[in-house]
């Protein structure tokens, strides 16, 4: 099912007198093609969960429209939208067994019991928990609870599957495993899936389409790799990537991009103050390089190594450059680097928009 | 379309017709529908009586169940309070001061006693493993009883059956005491010994009976609370104390008791407040007249006496006085629990 | 030579020192063993003391129940022996028959009838009361309406006020309405228990909001959510409240005595009687018709207490749970 979000806005009234009302989502427009896995990504308070809840119908938008295929569902109650929702804390009914939990939506839809049981078993098989059907949620691990929650969301064969921070309550190892699992289930079922996360790595690794949000406003939409390679603005560049991008204060003058006194590259743009973003993997060690950095220490990771250095032009305390483990480094306090052009981004210092 | 006109349109969209707004408001207030039964019942049986008590206490010579067409009271003033406190109600029966004194004696002796005993029993319970549940159950049994019924059972322990000339049995208690050479005492009968202290009666033998009952009936709840409080004390404190080589009694009085002091003070205060409302058990032991002519009367007994006699004004005044006493305890509770509790 | 001697002496000293250290270690080990033994002994003594103390206390806690039962099973003349018997020489079940067949001139019927009265009043007032408590708590916990906080504060404030202050006015109110001696009057004033509303509201509040949202997505109405999710989740509290409310009715004495003199008497009021005319009949005039017989009263007391014991044995966990939370007696 295709999802169209038009001018979606949600404002919450002020909590206390004198406070301003809060705009959680501001004029959002997205088209989600059918059968895709979409990640809403952003720091907390960016409106991603509110968006998800508006898609589910639990929150009603202040203005704007939500269309499933061609049908306007903006005013439709949650249970009539044909959605499945997986909550951050799973929200399993603690007094029901796993099977009863999964069957619950079907029971409310007045589906005959034998059929409901059958479908619950199918859903349980899909998430591989068929041997846990008679347990209570309290007897399950976090990962198992997560699967039950997904099964409960899938059992009614929703047109849209919504997941709110699906991995945040899992430990690191389970997170990796579950994220593959979600991808697999999504592929197998072909259900249009929207999930919310604040973890860019998580989003990058499984999304077909990623929506980066900040303060209720969509910053960029696209395939993860495309966004990573071509960020629209400083925020997006900064938010994606581990280790994060290095950002320097710099200038464009006389057709050159300068960090301090060093000209790192040529440019056609006008003279202006800029931020220069350089991905950690964009450094090439070279004794005749264009950028010199004061080395603080070197971290050896096996496959590659990080040169952690200090620059007074960096907006962050340290600059991190990742280079191949084979590269022999000089034992010197200052190292020089050449830069990979496609890993360097320029942003206007005031608007923080990309200079292309 | 410019952004501005768009914004304007949005605004217009959000402005709903006023009838719909009203409907929406009603819908948002549907919680009142849920609380309505409770609110109506409370208005009649809780809120109104509070106001009425404060009004009625100041109606002089107030007889609420008067005949049709009569006013039922003669005027307004503090006369009810004055006459209640002086014991000058002109109806005989219980005197307020005697009832107040009795209530205080029962309560101030029995509550600390049963709290202390409950603490010791709870500590004992935490130290045993085998049969712990069984002991716990036995100690909880007296909670679930009918005060009046158990009062009657206690009365049998102390009653001397027969006439004064021809005693059939002196009862269980006297038989037990005779093992130690103590002469039979008429614990609760008409010949029960008493001291006199000014206008106050001090029927000490009856007091002992009442206090024994109250300690017995107060134990279960206190044990239940203290035992669970003790089990919630972090075991690390005990280990630390062991390393510091503290003796068992030191541990009890210097570590355990302070750590569960919130519960102890809670039990003391609720015990005292509950004791102020003692009634049924005394009736169970000493009969509906609460001893001989209310010499074992309690404050609540005093109030009911005047309800039954139809002297409404005195009953209201008495209930306000009871309320005042309980408020004093509540106030003390607030002050004390801030000062001595170790959390 | 002297040096050598000195050295030897020194050596010897060293040796003795070593020996002393070894000895000290051995002594310490003995001390430790002694300590352990002492610890063990202290533990055993402590256990014996604990059990002795607890057993004595338990004996006295239990004695009234035992005495009640055996007294109800003795014939009156055995009860009146100058030295009490701790076990009936003669089991006299006629006491129970006599009490059960008692009819009272001033009241509506037999002892059995009174028990039925009490059961009916208890069941009706408990079930209706529970509904009122649940819906009120639900609204206070989950719904938003104007004045909710004020209402809740008022309710909490009244918990400080002794019930005796209400009783008088309530008595006057129902008297003026002509409701004395009716079934309704026994139930209506006690349907709302503010404390239980408070307890249940807090229970409801602890249920995470996401469960409500999940139920919405799963197509459940508000009422469905209350019945299918909230009630099962708070079942322990609800069961406790049900039991304590029922027990409170069973044990109620003051209000029924005040308002119902004739047709709707409740059980507790009967316990204070001695069943004198029954006694006279039972013992063929051995005891006068005005004499209260303890054995008969104890039989009545046993019958009043029995349902409480059955409830306690069946629902021990819930009752103790509820009591430790509420702490209100009856």
């Amino acid at each position: 099912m295709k999802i169209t979000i038009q001018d979606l806005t949600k404002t919450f009234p002020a909590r206390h007198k004198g406070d301003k009302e809060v705009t959680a989502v501001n004029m959002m427009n997205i088209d989600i093609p059918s059968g895709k896995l979409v990640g809403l990504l952003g720091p907390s308070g960016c409106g991603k969960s509110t968006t998800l809840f508006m898609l589910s119908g639990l929150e009603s938008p202040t203005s704007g429209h939500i269309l499933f295929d061609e049908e306007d569902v903006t005013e439709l109650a949650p249970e009539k939208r044909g959605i499945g929702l997986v909550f951050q804390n799973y929200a399993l009914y603690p007094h029901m067994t796993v099977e009863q939990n999964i069957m619950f939506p079907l029971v409310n839809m007045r589906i005959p019991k034998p059929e409901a049981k059958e479908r619950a078993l199918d859903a349980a098989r899909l998430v591989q928990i068929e041997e846990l059907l008679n347990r209570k949620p309290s007897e399950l691990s976090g990962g198992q609870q997560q699967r039950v929650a997904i099964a409960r969301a899938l059992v009614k064969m929703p047109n849209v599957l919504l997941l709110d921070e699906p991995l945040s309550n899992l430990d690191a190892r389970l997170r990796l495993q579950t994220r593959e699992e979600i991808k697999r289930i999504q592929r197998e079922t072909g259900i249009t899936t929207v999930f919310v996360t604040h973890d860019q790595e998580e989003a990058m690794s499984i999304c077909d389409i990623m929506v980066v949000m900040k303060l209720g406003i969509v910053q960029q939409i696209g395939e993860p790799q495309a966004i990573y390679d071509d960020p629209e603005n400083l925020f997006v560049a900064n938010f994606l990537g581990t280790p994060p991008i290095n950002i320097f204060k710099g200038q464009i003058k006389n057709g050159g991009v300068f960090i301090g006194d060093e000209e790192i590259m040529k440019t056609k743009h006008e003279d202006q103050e800029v931020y220069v973003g350089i991905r950690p993997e964009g450094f090439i060690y070279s004794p005749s390089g264009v950028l010199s950095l004061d080395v603080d220490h070197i971290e050896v990771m096996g496959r590659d190594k990080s040169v952690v250095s200090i620059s007074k032009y960096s907006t962050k305390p340290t600059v991190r450059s990742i280079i191949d483990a084979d590269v022999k480094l000089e034992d010197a306090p200052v190292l020089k680097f050449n830069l990979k052009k496609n890993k360097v981004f320029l942003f206007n210092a005031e608007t923080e928009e990309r200079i292309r | 379309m410019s952004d501005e006109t768009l914004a304007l349109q949005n605004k217009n969209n959000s402005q709903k017709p006023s009838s719909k707004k009203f409907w929406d408001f009603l819908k948002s207030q549907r919680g009142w529908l849920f609380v309505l039964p409770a609110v109506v019942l409370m208005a009649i049986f809780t809120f109104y009586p509070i106001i009425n008590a404060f009004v009625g206490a100041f109606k002089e010579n107030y007889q609420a169940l008067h005949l049709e067409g009569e006013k039922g009271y003669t005027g307004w003033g503090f006369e009810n309070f004055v006459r209640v406190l002086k014991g000058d109600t002109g109806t005989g029966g219980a005197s307020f001061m005697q009832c107040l004194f009795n209530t205080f004696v029962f309560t101030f002796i029995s509550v600390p006693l049963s709290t202390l005993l409950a603490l010791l029993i709870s500590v004992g319970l935490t130290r045993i493993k085998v049969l712990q549940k069984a002991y716990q159950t036995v100690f909880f049994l007296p909670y679930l009883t009918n005060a009046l019924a158990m009062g009657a059972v206690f009365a049998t322990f102390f009653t001397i059956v027969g006439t004064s000339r021809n005693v059939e049995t002196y009862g269980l208690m006297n038989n037990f005491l005779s093992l130690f050479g103590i002469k039979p005492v008429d614990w609760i009968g008409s010949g029960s010994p008493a001291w006199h202290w000014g206008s106050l009666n001090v029927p000490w033998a009856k007091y002992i009976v009442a206090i024994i009952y109250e300690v017995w009936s107060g134990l279960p709840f206190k044990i239940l609370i203290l035992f669970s409080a003790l089990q919630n004390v972090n075991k690390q404190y005990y280990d630390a104390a062991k390393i510091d080589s503290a003796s068992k009694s030191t541990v009890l009085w210097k570590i355990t008791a302070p750590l569960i002091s919130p519960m102890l003070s809670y039990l003391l205060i609720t015990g005292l407040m509950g004791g102020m409302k003692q009634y049924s058990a005394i009736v169970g032991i000493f009969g509906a007249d609460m001893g001989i002519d209310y010499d074992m009367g309690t404050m609540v007994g005093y109030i009911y006496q005047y309800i039954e006699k139809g002297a409404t004004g005195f009953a209201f005044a008495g209930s306000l006085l009871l309320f005042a006493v309980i408020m004093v305890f509540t106030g003390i509770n607030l002050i004390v629990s801030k000062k001595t509790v170790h959390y | 030579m002297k040096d050598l001697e000195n050295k030897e002496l020194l050596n010897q000293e060293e040796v003795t020192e070593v020996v002393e250290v070894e000895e000290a270690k051995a002594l310490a080990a003995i001390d430790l063993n002694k300590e352990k033994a002492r610890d063990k002994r202290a533990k055993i003594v402590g256990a014996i003391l604990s059990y002795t103390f607890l057993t004595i206390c338990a004996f006295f806690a239990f004695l009234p129940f035992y005495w009640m039962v055996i007294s109800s099973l003795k014939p009156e003349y055995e009860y009146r022996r100058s030295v009490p018997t701790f076990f009936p020489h003669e089991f006299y079940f006629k006491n129970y028959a006599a009490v059960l067949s008692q009819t009272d001139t001033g009241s509506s019927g037999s002892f059995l009838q009174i028990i039925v009265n009490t059961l009916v009043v208890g069941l009706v007032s408990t079930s209706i009361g529970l509904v009122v408590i649940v819906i009120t708590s639900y609204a206070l916990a989950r719904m938003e309406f104007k004045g909710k906080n004020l209402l809740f504060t008022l309710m909490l404030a009244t918990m400080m006020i002794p019930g005796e202050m209400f009783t008088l006015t309530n008595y006057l109110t129902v008297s003026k309405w002509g409701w004395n001696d009716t079934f309704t009057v026994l139930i209506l004033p006690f349907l709302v228990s503010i404390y239980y509303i408070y307890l249940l509201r807090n229970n409801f509040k602890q249920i995470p909001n996401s469960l409500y949202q999940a139920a919405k997505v799963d197509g459940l109405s508000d009422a469905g959510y209350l019945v299918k999710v909230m009630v099962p989740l708070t079942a322990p509290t609800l069961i406790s409240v049900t039991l304590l409310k029922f027990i409170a009715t069973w044990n109620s004495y003051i209000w029924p005595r005040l308002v119902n003199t004739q047709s709707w008497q409740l059980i507790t009021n009967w316990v204070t009687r001695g069943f004198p005319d029954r006694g006279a009949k039972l013992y063929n005039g051995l005891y006068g018709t005005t004499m209260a017989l303890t054995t008969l009263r104890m039989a009545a007391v046993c019958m009043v207490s029995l349902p409480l014991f059955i409830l306690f044995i069946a629902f021990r966990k819930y009752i103790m749970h509820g009591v430790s939370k509420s702490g209100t007696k009856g």
Side-chain angles (χ1 to χ4, degrees), chain C residues 186-261:
Chain C
L186 288 176
I187 291 169
L188 216 53
F190 304 105
L191 286 182
V192 182
S193 313
I194 293 176
Y195 189 81
Y196 294 143
I197 291 175
Y198 169 73
L199 201 67
L200 200 59
R201 169 200 168 267
N202 290 354
N203 258 259
F204 281 167
K205 278 224 144 185
Q206 281 165 5
I207 298 174
N209 198 32
S210 61
L211 227 51
Y212 175 71
Q213 294 175 326
K216 281 265 121 166
V217 173
D218 292 343
L220 212 56
S221 64
D222 273 16
Y225 177 66
L226 174 62
V227 173
K228 283 194 178 168
V229 179
M230 283 184 119
V231 166
L233 278 182
T234 51
T237 305
L238 286 171
I239 295 173
S240 306
V241 168
T242 309
L243 292 167
L244 292 177
K245 250 188 112 60
F246 182 81
I247 290 169
T249 308
W250 189 263
N251 284 346
S252 65
Y253 168 66
I254 292 164
W255 181 254
R257 189 171 80 130
L258 212 54
V259 296
N260 280 354
T261 45

Side-chain angles (χ1 to χ4, degrees), chain A residues 65-323:
Chain A
H65 296 275
I66 298 169
L67 276 67
F68 285 3
D69 281 342
E70 306 310 322
E71 190 195 356
D72 189 337
V73 297
T74 317
E75 300 280 320
L76 218 57
E79 69 270 19
K80 292 184 183 138
R81 293 189 181 198
I83 51 139
L85 177 56
V86 176
F87 289 85
Q88 184 172 4
N89 59 3
Y90 319 136
L92 300 177
Y93 307 111
H95 57 297
M96 299 182 191
T97 62
V98 167
E99 186 178 32
Q100 287 169 330
N101 261 288
I102 300 176
M103 278 169 61
F104 196 63
L106 303 179
V107 170
N108 293 324
M109 286 158 74
R110 301 190 197 286
I111 285 170
K113 211 170 177 197
E115 193 195 332
K117 270 199 154 180
E118 189 108 334
R119 280 171 66 175
L121 187 63
D122 286 345
R125 274 205 199 105
L126 186 65
V127 297
Q128 298 167 347
I129 49 158
E130 61 266 38
E131 70 280 9
L132 303 175
L133 284 175
N134 292 321
R135 300 231 196 131
K136 287 271 178 75
S138 58
E139 298 163 345
L140 304 180
S141 70
Q144 290 169 329
Q145 291 187 24
Q146 169 75 287
R147 284 155 191 260
V148 177
I150 294 174
R152 186 178 67 182
L154 288 174
V155 75
K156 49 185 171 181
M157 302 179 185
N159 299 318
V160 176
L161 178 63
L162 305 170
L163 302 110
D164 186 10
E165 299 264 8
L167 306 175
S168 66
N169 284 349
L170 302 176
D171 62 43
R173 199 179 51 79
L174 261 178
R175 210 174 288 182
L176 281 178
Q177 195 188 328
T178 313
R179 123 183 149 187
E180 299 308 316
E181 192 81 344
I182 290 174
K183 184 78 190 164
R184 175 183 68 80
I185 293 164
Q186 197 270 332
R187 277 221 195 96
E188 276 177 28
T189 56
I191 296 172
T192 314
T193 303
V194 180
F195 81 100
V196 154
T197 181
H198 63 270
D199 181 343
Q200 53 90 24
E201 212 182 325
E202 192 177 304
M204 301 259 306
S205 62
I206 59 170
C207 283
D208 298 322
I209 300 171
M210 196 159 77
V211 179
V212 186
M213 295 179 71
K214 177 197 174 189
L215 296 173
I217 298 169
V218 174
Q219 305 291 312
Q220 194 168 359
I221 305 175
E223 285 175 23
Q225 192 62 47
I227 298 180
Y228 182 81
D229 290 340
D230 196 7
E232 290 275 354
N233 58 34
L234 186 63
F235 171 79
V236 175
N238 215 347
F239 199 69
L240 298 187
T242 33
I245 195 166
N246 301 297
I247 297 180
F248 298 89
K249 281 182 193 139
Q251 297 89 30
I252 297 176
K253 24 182 204 203
N254 309 325
V257 180
F258 285 85
I259 294 174
D261 301 334
E262 292 173 305
E263 186 183 296
I264 58 163
M265 58 201 262
K266 293 281 175 205
T267 177
K268 310 186 292 285
H269 296 292
E270 294 169 24
D271 291 4
Q272 57 187 300
E273 295 288 310
V274 292
Y275 285 116
V276 182
I278 309 172
R279 295 263 180 225
E281 66 271 26
F283 294 85
I284 304 161
Y285 171 65
S286 161
S288 59
V290 293
L291 181 65
S292 17
L293 295 169
D294 300 338
V295 179
D296 186 70
H297 64 277
I298 294 169
E299 289 172 8
V300 180
M301 319 289 275
R303 192 175 26 150
D304 43 35
K305 49 189 163 191
S306 294
V307 180
V308 181
S309 40
I310 293 165
S311 162
K312 62 177 171 181
Y313 304 107
S314 171
T315 58
K316 297 172 186 176
T318 59
V319 176
R320 188 174 284 267
S321 342
I322 298 176
I323 54 174

Side-chain angles (χ1 to χ4, degrees), chain B residues 22-88:
Chain B
F22 180 67
W23 180 242
D24 279 354
F25 175 76
L26 275 188
K27 223 174 149 188
S28 73
Q29 300 300 310
R30 72 185 197 285
W32 277 108
L33 211 65
F34 283 69
V35 296
L36 192 68
V39 167
V40 169
L41 285 168
M42 282 190 298
I44 299 169
F45 295 112
T46 309
F47 298 142
Y48 164 67
I50 295 172
I51 300 163
N52 194 45
F54 278 95
V55 175
F58 295 96
K59 288 181 179 172
E60 287 176 353
N61 298 313
Y62 183 27
Q63 288 186 308
L65 295 175
H66 51 84
L67 296 171
E68 199 91 25
E70 280 175 32
K71 200 169 156 205
Y73 61 97
T74 55
W76 298 88
F78 287 92
E79 203 191 275
N80 289 329
F81 292 98
V82 175
R83 286 174 66 183
V84 162
L85 289 172
K86 270 189 177 165
D88 170 30

